[in-house]
Coordinates of all heavy atoms in Angstrom, one line a residue:
M1 N 235.0 324.5 -33.5 CA 235.6 324.3 -34.8 C 237.1 323.9 -34.5 O 237.8 324.6 -33.8 CB 235.4 325.6 -35.6 CG 236.3 325.5 -36.9 SD 235.6 326.7 -38.0 CE 236.8 328.1 -37.9
L2 N 237.5 322.8 -35.2 CA 238.9 322.5 -35.2 C 239.7 322.8 -36.3 O 239.2 322.7 -37.5 CB 238.9 320.8 -34.9 CG 240.3 320.2 -34.8 CD1 241.0 320.5 -33.6 CD2 240.0 318.7 -34.9
A3 N 240.8 323.4 -36.1 CA 241.6 323.9 -37.3 C 243.2 323.7 -37.1 O 243.5 323.8 -35.9 CB 241.5 325.2 -37.7
E4 N 243.9 323.4 -38.0 CA 245.5 323.4 -37.9 C 246.0 324.4 -38.9 O 245.7 324.3 -40.1 CB 245.9 321.9 -38.2 CG 247.3 321.8 -37.7 CD 247.6 320.3 -37.8 OE1 247.6 319.7 -39.0 OE2 247.9 319.7 -36.7
E5 N 247.0 325.1 -38.4 CA 247.4 326.3 -39.4 C 248.9 326.5 -38.9 O 249.3 326.3 -37.8 CB 246.7 327.6 -38.9 CG 247.0 328.6 -40.0 CD 246.1 329.8 -39.7 OE1 245.2 329.8 -38.8 OE2 246.3 330.8 -40.4
E6 N 249.7 326.8 -39.9 CA 251.2 327.1 -39.8 C 251.2 328.3 -38.9 O 250.5 329.2 -39.0 CB 251.8 327.3 -41.1 CG 252.1 326.1 -41.8 CD 253.2 326.3 -42.9 OE1 254.2 327.0 -42.8 OE2 253.1 325.5 -43.9
A7 N 252.1 328.3 -38.1 CA 252.5 329.5 -37.2 C 254.0 329.6 -37.0 O 254.8 328.6 -37.2 CB 251.6 329.4 -35.9
L8 N 254.4 330.7 -36.4 CA 255.7 330.9 -36.0 C 255.7 331.3 -34.6 O 255.0 332.0 -34.0 CB 256.3 332.3 -36.9 CG 257.7 332.6 -36.5 CD1 258.6 331.6 -37.0 CD2 258.0 334.0 -37.1
V9 N 256.7 330.6 -33.8 CA 256.9 330.7 -32.5 C 257.5 332.0 -32.2 O 258.7 332.2 -32.6 CB 257.6 329.6 -31.7 CG1 257.8 329.8 -30.3 CG2 256.9 328.2 -31.9
L10 N 256.8 333.0 -31.5 CA 257.4 334.3 -31.2 C 258.1 334.3 -29.8 O 259.1 335.0 -29.6 CB 256.2 335.3 -31.2 CG 255.5 335.5 -32.6 CD1 254.3 336.5 -32.4 CD2 256.5 335.8 -33.7
E11 N 257.5 333.6 -28.9 CA 258.1 333.4 -27.5 C 257.7 332.1 -26.9 O 256.6 331.6 -27.4 CB 257.4 334.5 -26.6 CG 257.7 336.0 -27.0 CD 259.1 336.4 -26.7 OE1 259.8 335.8 -25.9 OE2 259.6 337.3 -27.5
V12 N 258.6 331.6 -26.2 CA 258.4 330.3 -25.6 C 259.1 330.3 -24.1 O 260.3 330.7 -24.0 CB 258.8 329.1 -26.4 CG1 260.2 329.2 -26.7 CG2 258.5 327.8 -25.6
E13 N 258.3 330.2 -23.0 CA 258.8 330.2 -21.7 C 258.2 328.9 -21.0 O 257.2 328.9 -20.5 CB 258.3 331.4 -20.9 CG 258.9 332.8 -21.1 CD 260.4 332.6 -20.7 OE1 260.7 332.2 -19.6 OE2 261.2 333.2 -21.5
P14 N 259.3 328.0 -20.7 CA 259.0 326.9 -19.9 C 258.8 327.3 -18.4 O 259.6 328.1 -18.0 CB 260.0 325.8 -20.1 CG 261.1 326.7 -20.6 CD 260.6 327.9 -21.2
F15 N 258.1 326.6 -17.7 CA 258.1 326.8 -16.2 C 257.4 325.7 -15.5 O 256.7 324.8 -16.2 CB 257.3 328.0 -15.8 CG 255.7 328.1 -16.0 CD1 255.0 327.7 -15.0 CD2 255.3 328.4 -17.4 CE1 253.5 327.7 -15.4 CE2 254.0 328.5 -17.6 CZ 253.2 328.0 -16.5
D16 N 257.7 325.4 -14.3 CA 257.2 324.3 -13.5 C 256.1 324.8 -12.5 O 256.4 325.8 -11.9 CB 258.3 323.6 -12.7 CG 259.0 322.8 -13.6 OD1 258.6 322.2 -14.7 OD2 260.4 322.7 -13.3
L17 N 254.9 324.2 -12.5 CA 253.9 324.5 -11.5 C 253.6 323.3 -10.7 O 253.0 322.2 -11.4 CB 252.7 325.0 -12.2 CG 251.6 325.5 -11.3 CD1 252.0 326.6 -10.4 CD2 250.4 326.0 -12.2
H18 N 253.9 323.2 -9.4 CA 253.7 322.1 -8.6 C 254.3 320.7 -9.1 O 253.6 319.8 -9.3 CB 252.1 321.8 -8.5 CG 251.5 323.0 -7.8 ND1 251.8 323.4 -6.5 CD2 250.6 323.8 -8.3 CE1 251.0 324.5 -6.2 NE2 250.2 324.7 -7.2
G19 N 255.5 320.9 -9.8 CA 256.2 319.8 -10.3 C 255.7 319.4 -11.7 O 256.2 318.3 -12.2
V20 N 254.8 320.1 -12.4 CA 254.5 319.7 -13.6 C 254.9 320.9 -14.7 O 254.8 322.0 -14.4 CB 252.9 319.6 -13.8 CG1 252.5 319.3 -15.1 CG2 252.4 318.6 -12.8
R21 N 255.6 320.4 -15.8 CA 256.1 321.4 -16.8 C 254.9 321.9 -17.7 O 254.2 321.3 -18.2 CB 257.0 320.6 -17.7 CG 257.7 321.5 -18.8 CD 258.5 322.6 -18.3 NE 259.5 322.2 -17.5 CZ 260.7 322.9 -17.6 NH1 261.1 323.6 -18.5 NH2 261.6 322.3 -16.8
Y22 N 254.9 323.2 -17.8 CA 254.0 324.0 -18.8 C 254.9 324.9 -19.6 O 255.9 325.2 -19.3 CB 253.0 324.8 -17.9 CG 252.0 324.0 -17.2 CD1 252.3 323.6 -16.0 CD2 250.8 323.6 -17.8 CE1 251.3 322.8 -15.2 CE2 249.9 322.9 -17.1 CZ 250.1 322.5 -15.8 OH 249.1 321.7 -15.2
Y23 N 254.2 325.4 -20.5 CA 254.9 326.3 -21.5 C 254.0 327.5 -21.7 O 252.7 327.4 -22.1 CB 255.3 325.8 -22.9 CG 256.2 324.6 -22.7 CD1 256.0 323.3 -22.4 CD2 257.7 325.0 -22.9 CE1 257.0 322.4 -22.2 CE2 258.6 324.1 -22.7 CZ 258.3 322.8 -22.4 OH 259.2 321.8 -22.3
D24 N 254.4 328.8 -21.6 CA 253.7 329.9 -22.2 C 254.2 330.2 -23.5 O 255.4 330.5 -23.7 CB 253.9 331.2 -21.2 CG 253.0 331.1 -19.9 OD1 252.0 330.4 -20.0 OD2 253.3 331.8 -19.0
L25 N 253.4 330.3 -24.4 CA 253.8 330.6 -25.8 C 253.0 331.7 -26.5 O 251.8 332.0 -26.2 CB 253.3 329.2 -26.8 CG 253.8 328.0 -26.5 CD1 253.2 326.9 -27.4 CD2 255.4 328.0 -26.7
S26 N 253.7 332.3 -27.4 CA 253.1 333.4 -28.3 C 253.4 332.8 -29.6 O 254.6 332.6 -30.0 CB 253.6 334.8 -28.1 OG 253.3 335.3 -26.8
V27 N 252.4 332.8 -30.4 CA 252.5 332.2 -31.9 C 251.9 333.3 -32.8 O 250.9 333.9 -32.5 CB 252.0 330.9 -32.0 CG1 252.8 329.8 -31.3 CG2 250.5 330.8 -31.7
G28 N 252.7 333.5 -33.9 CA 252.0 334.4 -34.9 C 251.6 333.6 -36.2 O 252.3 332.7 -36.6
F29 N 250.5 334.1 -36.7 CA 249.9 333.4 -37.9 C 250.1 334.2 -39.1 O 250.4 335.4 -39.0 CB 248.4 333.1 -37.5 CG 248.2 332.1 -36.5 CD1 248.0 332.6 -35.1 CD2 248.2 330.7 -36.7 CE1 247.8 331.7 -34.1 CE2 248.0 329.9 -35.7 CZ 247.8 330.3 -34.4
P30 N 249.9 333.6 -40.2 CA 250.0 334.3 -41.5 C 249.2 335.6 -41.8 O 249.7 336.6 -42.4 CB 249.7 333.2 -42.7 CG 249.9 332.0 -42.0 CD 249.6 332.2 -40.6
D31 N 248.2 335.6 -41.1 CA 247.3 336.8 -41.1 C 247.7 337.8 -40.1 O 247.0 339.0 -40.0 CB 245.8 336.4 -41.0 CG 245.4 336.0 -39.5 OD1 246.5 336.0 -38.7 OD2 244.3 335.7 -39.2
R32 N 248.9 337.7 -39.6 CA 249.5 338.6 -38.8 C 248.8 338.7 -37.3 O 249.2 339.5 -36.5 CB 249.7 340.0 -39.3 CG 250.4 340.2 -40.6 CD 250.6 341.5 -41.0 NE 251.4 341.7 -42.2 CZ 252.7 341.8 -42.4 NH1 253.4 341.8 -41.3 NH2 253.2 341.8 -43.5
S33 N 247.9 337.8 -37.0 CA 247.4 337.8 -35.7 C 248.3 337.0 -34.8 O 249.2 336.2 -35.2 CB 246.0 337.0 -35.7 OG 246.2 335.8 -36.1
V34 N 248.3 337.3 -33.5 CA 249.2 336.7 -32.5 C 248.2 336.1 -31.4 O 247.3 336.7 -31.0 CB 250.1 337.6 -31.9 CG1 250.9 337.1 -30.8 CG2 251.0 338.2 -32.9
Q35 N 248.5 334.9 -31.0 CA 247.8 334.3 -30.0 C 248.8 333.7 -28.8 O 249.9 333.4 -29.2 CB 247.0 333.1 -30.4 CG 245.7 333.6 -31.1 CD 244.8 332.4 -31.3 OE1 245.2 331.3 -31.4 NE2 243.5 332.8 -31.5
Q36 N 248.4 333.8 -27.6 CA 249.1 333.4 -26.4 C 248.3 332.1 -26.0 O 247.2 332.0 -26.2 CB 249.2 334.3 -25.2 CG 250.0 335.6 -25.6 CD 249.5 336.4 -26.5 OE1 248.3 336.8 -26.4 NE2 250.4 337.2 -27.2
A37 N 249.3 331.1 -25.4 CA 248.6 329.9 -25.0 C 249.5 329.3 -23.9 O 250.7 329.6 -23.9 CB 248.6 328.9 -26.1
R38 N 248.9 328.8 -22.9 CA 249.6 328.1 -21.8 C 249.3 326.6 -22.0 O 248.1 326.2 -21.9 CB 249.1 328.5 -20.4 CG 249.8 327.8 -19.4 CD 249.5 328.4 -17.9 NE 250.5 329.6 -17.9 CZ 250.4 330.5 -16.9 NH1 249.5 330.3 -16.0 NH2 251.2 331.5 -17.0
L39 N 250.3 325.8 -22.3 CA 250.2 324.4 -22.8 C 251.0 323.6 -21.9 O 252.1 324.0 -21.3 CB 250.6 324.2 -24.2 CG 249.8 325.1 -25.2 CD1 250.4 324.9 -26.6 CD2 248.4 324.9 -25.2
G40 N 250.5 322.3 -21.6 CA 251.3 321.3 -20.9 C 252.3 320.7 -21.8 O 252.3 320.8 -23.1
A41 N 253.2 320.1 -21.3 CA 254.4 319.6 -21.9 C 253.9 318.5 -22.9 O 254.6 318.3 -24.0 CB 255.4 318.8 -21.0
E42 N 252.9 317.8 -22.7 CA 252.3 316.9 -23.8 C 251.8 317.6 -25.1 O 251.7 316.9 -26.2 CB 251.2 316.0 -23.2 CG 249.8 316.8 -23.0 CD 249.8 317.7 -21.8 OE1 250.7 317.6 -21.0 OE2 248.7 318.3 -21.7
S43 N 251.7 318.8 -25.2 CA 251.2 319.6 -26.3 C 252.2 320.4 -27.0 O 251.9 321.2 -27.9 CB 250.1 320.6 -25.8 OG 248.9 319.7 -25.2
V44 N 253.4 320.3 -26.6 CA 254.6 321.0 -27.2 C 255.7 320.2 -27.5 O 256.0 319.3 -26.6 CB 255.0 322.1 -26.0 CG1 256.3 322.9 -26.6 CG2 253.8 323.1 -25.7
P45 N 256.4 320.2 -28.6 CA 257.4 319.4 -29.0 C 258.6 319.7 -28.2 O 258.9 320.8 -27.8 CB 257.6 319.6 -30.5 CG 256.9 320.9 -30.7 CD 256.0 321.1 -29.7
D46 N 259.5 318.6 -27.9 CA 260.7 318.8 -27.2 C 261.6 319.9 -27.9 O 261.8 319.8 -29.2 CB 261.5 317.5 -27.0 CG 260.8 316.6 -26.0 OD1 260.1 317.1 -25.1 OD2 261.1 315.4 -26.2
G47 N 262.3 320.7 -27.1 CA 263.3 321.6 -27.6 C 262.7 322.7 -28.5 O 263.4 323.4 -29.2
L48 N 261.3 323.0 -28.2 CA 260.8 324.2 -29.0 C 261.5 325.5 -28.6 O 261.7 325.8 -27.5 CB 259.2 324.3 -28.6 CG 258.5 325.3 -29.5 CD1 258.4 324.7 -30.9 CD2 257.0 325.4 -28.9
Q49 N 261.8 326.3 -29.7 CA 262.5 327.6 -29.5 C 261.8 328.7 -30.3 O 261.1 328.4 -31.3 CB 264.0 327.5 -29.9 CG 264.7 326.5 -29.2 CD 266.3 326.4 -29.7 OE1 266.6 327.3 -30.3 NE2 266.9 325.4 -29.3
K50 N 262.0 330.0 -29.8 CA 261.6 331.1 -30.5 C 262.2 331.0 -32.0 O 263.3 330.6 -32.3 CB 262.2 332.4 -29.8 CG 261.8 333.6 -30.5 CD 262.5 334.7 -29.7 CE 262.1 336.1 -30.4 NZ 262.5 337.2 -29.7
G51 N 261.2 331.4 -33.0 CA 261.7 331.2 -34.3 C 261.2 330.0 -35.2 O 261.3 329.9 -36.4
D52 N 260.9 329.0 -34.4 CA 260.5 327.6 -35.0 C 259.1 327.9 -35.6 O 258.3 328.5 -35.3 CB 260.3 326.6 -33.9 CG 261.7 326.0 -33.3 OD1 262.6 326.6 -33.8 OD2 261.7 325.3 -32.4
R53 N 259.1 327.2 -36.8 CA 257.8 327.1 -37.6 C 257.0 325.7 -37.1 O 257.6 324.7 -36.8 CB 258.0 326.8 -38.9 CG 258.6 328.2 -39.5 CD 257.8 328.5 -40.8 NE 258.2 329.9 -41.3 CZ 257.4 331.0 -41.1 NH1 256.4 330.9 -40.5 NH2 258.0 332.0 -41.5
V54 N 255.8 325.9 -36.7 CA 255.0 324.8 -36.1 C 253.6 324.7 -36.8 O 253.1 325.8 -37.6 CB 254.7 325.1 -34.6 CG1 256.0 324.9 -33.8 CG2 254.1 326.4 -34.3
L55 N 252.9 323.7 -36.5 CA 251.5 323.6 -36.9 C 250.8 323.6 -35.6 O 251.0 322.9 -34.7 CB 251.2 322.2 -37.7 CG 251.7 322.1 -39.0 CD1 251.5 320.8 -39.5 CD2 251.1 323.1 -40.0
A56 N 249.9 324.7 -35.6 CA 249.2 325.0 -34.3 C 247.7 324.4 -34.6 O 247.1 324.7 -35.5 CB 249.0 326.6 -34.1
T57 N 247.4 323.6 -33.6 CA 245.9 323.1 -33.5 C 245.0 324.1 -32.6 O 245.4 324.4 -31.6 CB 245.8 321.7 -33.0 OG1 246.7 320.8 -33.8 CG2 244.4 321.3 -33.0
R58 N 244.1 324.6 -33.3 CA 243.1 325.5 -32.6 C 241.7 324.9 -32.6 O 241.2 324.3 -33.5 CB 243.1 326.8 -33.3 CG 244.3 327.5 -33.3 CD 244.3 329.0 -33.5 NE 244.1 329.3 -34.9 CZ 244.1 330.5 -35.4 NH1 244.3 331.5 -34.7 NH2 243.9 330.8 -36.7
V59 N 241.0 325.2 -31.4 CA 239.6 324.8 -31.2 C 239.0 326.1 -30.7 O 239.4 326.7 -29.8 CB 239.5 323.7 -30.2 CG1 238.0 323.4 -29.9 CG2 240.1 322.4 -30.7
A60 N 237.9 326.5 -31.5 CA 237.3 327.7 -31.1 C 238.3 328.9 -31.0 O 238.2 329.6 -30.1 CB 236.4 327.6 -29.9
N61 N 239.2 328.9 -32.0 CA 240.3 330.0 -31.9 C 241.1 330.0 -30.7 O 241.8 331.0 -30.4 CB 239.6 331.4 -32.2 CG 239.2 331.5 -33.6 OD1 239.8 330.9 -34.5 ND2 238.1 332.3 -33.8
M62 N 241.3 328.9 -30.0 CA 242.2 328.8 -28.9 C 243.2 327.8 -29.3 O 242.9 326.6 -29.7 CB 241.5 328.4 -27.6 CG 240.6 329.5 -27.0 SD 239.7 328.9 -25.4 CE 241.1 328.3 -24.5
V63 N 244.5 328.1 -29.1 CA 245.6 327.1 -29.4 C 245.6 326.0 -28.4 O 245.7 326.4 -27.1 CB 246.9 327.9 -29.6 CG1 248.1 326.9 -29.7 CG2 247.0 328.9 -30.6
I64 N 245.5 324.9 -28.7 CA 245.4 323.6 -27.7 C 246.7 322.7 -27.9 O 247.0 322.1 -27.0 CB 244.2 322.9 -27.9 CG1 244.1 322.2 -29.2 CG2 243.0 323.7 -27.5 CD1 243.2 321.0 -29.2
S65 N 247.5 322.9 -29.0 CA 248.7 322.2 -29.1 C 249.5 322.6 -30.3 O 248.9 323.5 -31.2 CB 248.5 320.7 -29.4 OG 247.9 320.3 -30.5
V66 N 250.8 322.4 -30.3 CA 251.6 322.8 -31.5 C 252.6 321.6 -31.7 O 252.8 320.8 -30.8 CB 252.5 324.1 -31.2 CG1 251.7 325.2 -31.2 CG2 253.5 323.9 -30.0
R67 N 252.8 321.4 -33.0 CA 253.7 320.3 -33.4 C 254.7 320.8 -34.5 O 254.3 321.8 -35.2 CB 253.1 319.1 -33.8 CG 252.1 319.2 -35.0 CD 251.5 317.9 -35.3 NE 250.6 318.0 -36.4 CZ 250.8 317.8 -37.7 NH1 252.1 317.3 -38.1 NH2 250.1 317.9 -38.6
R68 N 255.8 320.2 -34.7 CA 256.8 320.6 -35.7 C 256.1 320.5 -37.0 O 255.4 319.7 -37.5 CB 258.0 319.9 -35.7 CG 258.7 320.1 -34.4 CD 260.1 320.1 -34.6 NE 260.9 320.1 -33.1 CZ 261.2 321.2 -32.6 NH1 260.7 322.4 -33.1 NH2 261.6 321.2 -31.3
A69 N 256.3 321.6 -37.9 CA 255.8 321.6 -39.3 C 256.6 320.6 -40.3 O 257.6 320.5 -39.9 CB 255.8 323.0 -39.9

């Protein structure tokens, strides 16, 4: 099941692994649930910061990308 929902970035930590940029994210949803995701740079907008509002794309309740709302 594919869904897109507004979320709030609670934490964002960029890191490099073998020369490739990844992000560990925590996002909060309107129902007060929180999900963590490890995403590649192609799935995260540039300059993403804690407190940003985003649209989170989820597949089978796993966050696979975020984009600015």
Side-chain angles (χ1 to χ4, degrees):
M1 176 159 104
L2 178 68
E4 192 170 66
E5 188 174 2
E6 278 194 37
L8 178 67
V9 176
L10 302 175
E11 297 290 332
V12 58
E13 277 298 319
F15 67 96
D16 290 325
L17 180 63
H18 302 294
V20 178
R21 176 62 59 135
Y22 290 92
Y23 294 85
D24 280 340
L25 299 177
S26 291
V27 292
F29 293 93
D31 66 359
R32 298 187 186 266
S33 65
V34 175
Q35 285 191 334
Q36 285 76 36
R38 177 167 285 171
L39 302 174
E42 71 281 355
S43 300
V44 176
D46 289 337
L48 188 68
Q49 296 182 16
K50 180 179 178 177
D52 286 352
R53 293 227 168 258
V54 294
L55 290 173
T57 302
R58 297 198 283 188
V59 173
N61 284 331
M62 290 179 54
V63 175
I64 63 164
S65 69
V66 294
R67 64 182 178 91
R68 299 217 186 270

